[in-house]
Amino acid sequence: MKLLKEKIEKEGNVLSDTVLKVDSFLNHQIDPLLMKEIGDELADRYADEVITKVLTIESSGIAPATFLGLTIGAPVVFARKRKSLTLTDNLYSSKVHSFTKNETNEISVSKNFLSPEDSVIIIDDFLANGEAVKGLLDIAEQAGAHVVGVGIVIEKGFQDGGKQLRKQGIRIESLARIKSLANGKVEFFEDGEF
Amino acid sequence: MKLLKEKIEKEGNVLSDTVLKVDSFLNHQIDPLLMKEIGDELADRYADEVITKVLTIESSGIAPATFLGLTIGAPVVFARKRKSLTLTDNLYSSKVHSFTKNETNEISVSKNFLSPEDSVIIIDDFLANGEAVKGLLDIAEQAGAHVVGVGIVIEKGFQDGGKQLRKQGIRIESLARIKSLANGKVEFFEDGEF
């Protein structure tokens, strides 16, 4: 996605060979127009599928997931990382390790909002080791829901998550796929290259 | 806001005299079309103001704030409840106590995204004791930013936050104001009634 890659080149901050900071438009400050374009692009890529539910995880997945949900006319469910007092039982849960934050969270989704009748698309801001997506796949599986695929804003293609998931036959659409962050420079995969 | 009140009446779940669960459309599952309507309504109510930044807090404020941001052409910044490794310093911080979750979080916003040049609207899903809004006001004040007002999806008018903030001269626009949750029933304030 051209607009997204340009934004990453212009505003992305390469902190190390593995860490790209994009908090000026994606995961702290949000560019609403870019999020809308991302939602529309994901809707285009999955136009061949019937989707009844968009599943994401708080917090940075919510904006792109909600625009996708608006475009395709499906509700969005975001997995919570911690339990709240008004959300105490009747939950599907899974464990997700964040290498960036170096912590393991239990994520959970109310059983009210995912069922075997659902065809689910999983959305997240980043795909690196694939931990969050695996947790969301686990939750969808517990619900007996069908997963049509995954939509990712930025995939770190030099890390292993995307490869592992594709090997399992899971469809992944990443709008920007990074080949390398070496030498403080963002290098993208060309479309189709892998 | 009629559509919102109808949604609360239809899907809201009164758990006690103080707790209203609206996780089917606002803070776990999200109704994207309703969020868009909420964003548009908030834009209408603040049409007399120039706003350069929408400030909210993860997670349930993000969807309405992002639609508002799209409509008025302003970026959204969401305060984080915990620090991440890629967001470690250069922060405005404040403490927020959640009575619902019975915990105190430090919330923070990068100094890169709020400045004395900003005219800020503060958005949140609920206003009850006003703790989150006070924390966001504190952060805006640290940044030297001007706050034009506050936009709330659901105000629990029987709790004290709204009253306290209005007494300080802060403009608050709440799209649904609840008078009482007694006897398992949601009763709204009429428009203008307080």
Side-chain angles (χ1 to χ4, degrees), chain B residues 65-151:
Chain B
T66 303
F67 281 113
L68 170 61
L70 182 69
T71 302
I72 65 176
V76 176
V77 178
F78 64 89
R80 288 204 168 268
K81 286 178 183 163
R82 287 181 297 174
K83 295 168 183 168
S84 83
L85 284 191
T86 60
L87 189 95
T88 44
D89 47 12
N90 195 36
L91 296 174
Y92 302 115
S93 291
S94 191
K95 288 212 190 314
V96 171
H97 184 74
S98 163
F99 291 91
T100 320
K101 299 186 183 177
N102 192 26
E103 62 184 20
T104 298
N105 284 296
E106 191 169 340
I107 66 167
S108 49
V109 168
S110 165
K111 290 186 179 175
N112 295 335
F113 304 128
L114 273 184
S115 83
E117 281 73 50
D118 278 318
S119 287
V120 173
I121 183 167
I122 290 172
I123 300 297
D124 206 6
D125 58 339
F126 270 97
L127 174 62
N129 297 287
E131 291 295 308
V133 169
K134 286 173 205 163
L136 293 171
L137 283 167
D138 180 25
I139 280 174
E141 193 178 343
Q142 290 174 44
H146 169 62
V147 175
V148 305
V150 176

Side-chain angles (χ1 to χ4, degrees), chain A:
Chain A
M1 189 181 165
K2 195 160 165 280
L3 184 67
L4 173 64
K5 288 181 187 171
E6 286 169 1
K7 194 86 170 176
I8 293 168
E9 278 168 346
K10 202 174 146 200
E11 299 188 20
N13 199 345
V14 179
L15 295 189
S16 74
D17 283 5
T18 56
V19 179
L20 172 70
K21 196 168 167 176
V22 287
D23 65 354
S24 71
F25 61 88
L26 182 57
N27 43 28
H28 183 29
Q29 182 166 259
I30 294 171
D31 178 335
L33 189 56
L34 179 64
M35 294 303 119
K36 183 185 181 303
E37 300 283 337
I38 286 169
D40 288 350
E41 173 74 20
L42 289 168
D44 273 356
R45 295 203 185 186
Y46 279 97
D48 55 323
E49 296 278 4
V50 175
I51 296 168
T52 65
K53 204 137 291 190
V54 180
L55 179 62
T56 187
I57 185 167
E58 60 183 354
S59 292
S60 303
I62 293 174
T66 303
F67 280 113
L68 170 61
L70 182 68
T71 302
I72 65 175
V76 176
V77 178
F78 64 89
R80 289 206 168 267
K81 284 178 183 162
R82 286 182 297 175
K83 293 168 185 172
S84 84
L85 285 190
T86 59
L87 188 96
T88 43
D89 46 12
N90 195 35
L91 297 174
Y92 302 114
S93 292
S94 191
K95 288 210 189 317
V96 171
H97 185 74
S98 164
F99 290 91
T100 320
K101 300 187 183 174
N102 193 23
E103 63 184 19
T104 299
N105 283 296
E106 190 168 340
I107 65 167
S108 48
V109 168
S110 165
K111 291 186 179 174
N112 295 336
F113 304 128
L114 273 183
S115 82
E117 279 75 49
D118 278 318
S119 287
V120 173
I121 183 168
I122 290 172
I123 301 297
D124 206 6
D125 57 339
F126 270 98
L127 174 63
N129 297 287
E131 291 296 306
V133 170
K134 286 174 206 164
L136 293 170
L137 282 167
D138 180 25
I139 280 174
E141 192 178 346
Q142 290 174 44
H146 169 61
V147 175
V148 305
V150 175
I152 297 292
V153 182
I154 301 174
E155 178 177 347
K156 293 178 180 169
F158 54 87
Q159 287 180 307
D160 217 27
K163 203 166 137 185
Q164 284 173 29
L165 291 163
R166 288 183 181 94
K167 221 183 251 179
Q168 291 173 44
I170 293 159
R171 177 176 174 188
I172 299 178
E173 297 284 346
S174 299
L175 304 190
R177 294 180 302 181
I178 294 172
K179 196 171 187 169
S180 161
L181 294 172
N183 308 313
K185 234 186 121 302
V186 182
E187 191 188 341
F188 294 104
F189 283 105
E190 298 300 315
D191 286 339
E193 179 193 2
F194 244 96

Side-chain angles (χ1 to χ4, degrees), chain B:
Chain B
M1 188 181 168
K2 195 161 168 278
L3 184 67
L4 174 63
K5 288 181 187 170
E6 287 170 0
K7 192 84 170 176
I8 294 168
E9 278 168 346
K10 203 174 144 198
E11 299 188 17
N13 199 345
V14 180
L15 295 188
S16 74
D17 283 6
T18 57
V19 178
L20 172 69
K21 195 170 170 175
V22 288
D23 64 354
S24 71
F25 61 88
L26 182 58
N27 43 25
H28 183 29
Q29 182 165 259
I30 294 172
D31 178 336
L33 188 56
L34 180 64
M35 294 303 117
K36 181 184 182 303
E37 302 283 337
I38 285 169
D40 288 349
E41 173 74 20
L42 289 167
D44 273 357
R45 295 203 186 187
Y46 279 97
D48 56 322
E49 296 277 6
V50 174
I51 295 167
T52 65
K53 206 137 289 190
V54 181
L55 179 61
T56 186
I57 185 168
E58 59 182 355
S59 292
S60 304
I62 294 175
T66 303
F67 281 113
L68 170 61
L70 182 69
T71 302
I72 65 176
V76 176
V77 178
F78 64 89
R80 288 204 168 268
K81 286 178 183 163
R82 287 181 297 174
K83 295 168 183 168
S84 83
L85 284 191
T86 60
L87 189 95
T88 44
D89 47 12
N90 195 36
L91 296 174
Y92 302 115
S93 291
S94 191
K95 288 212 190 314
V96 171
H97 184 74
S98 163
F99 291 91
T100 320
K101 299 186 183 177
N102 192 26
E103 62 184 20
T104 298
N105 284 296
E106 191 169 340
I107 66 167
S108 49
V109 168
S110 165
K111 290 186 179 175
N112 295 335
F113 304 128
L114 273 184
S115 83
E117 281 73 50
D118 278 318
S119 287
V120 173
I121 183 167
I122 290 172
I123 300 297
D124 206 6
D125 58 339
F126 270 97
L127 174 62
N129 297 287
E131 291 295 308
V133 169
K134 286 173 205 163
L136 293 171
L137 283 167
D138 180 25
I139 280 174
E141 193 178 343
Q142 290 174 44
H146 169 62
V147 175
V148 305
V150 176
I152 297 291
V153 182
I154 302 174
E155 178 176 348
K156 292 177 180 171
F158 54 88
Q159 288 180 307
D160 218 27
K163 205 166 137 184
Q164 285 174 29
L165 292 164
R166 288 183 182 93
K167 220 182 252 175
Q168 292 173 43
I170 293 159
R171 177 176 175 190
I172 301 179
E173 298 284 346
S174 299
L175 304 191
R177 296 182 300 182
I178 295 171
K179 195 172 189 169
S180 161
L181 293 173
N183 307 314
K185 236 186 120 300
V186 181
E187 193 188 342
F188 295 103
F189 283 106
E190 298 301 315
D191 286 340
E193 177 192 6
F194 241 98

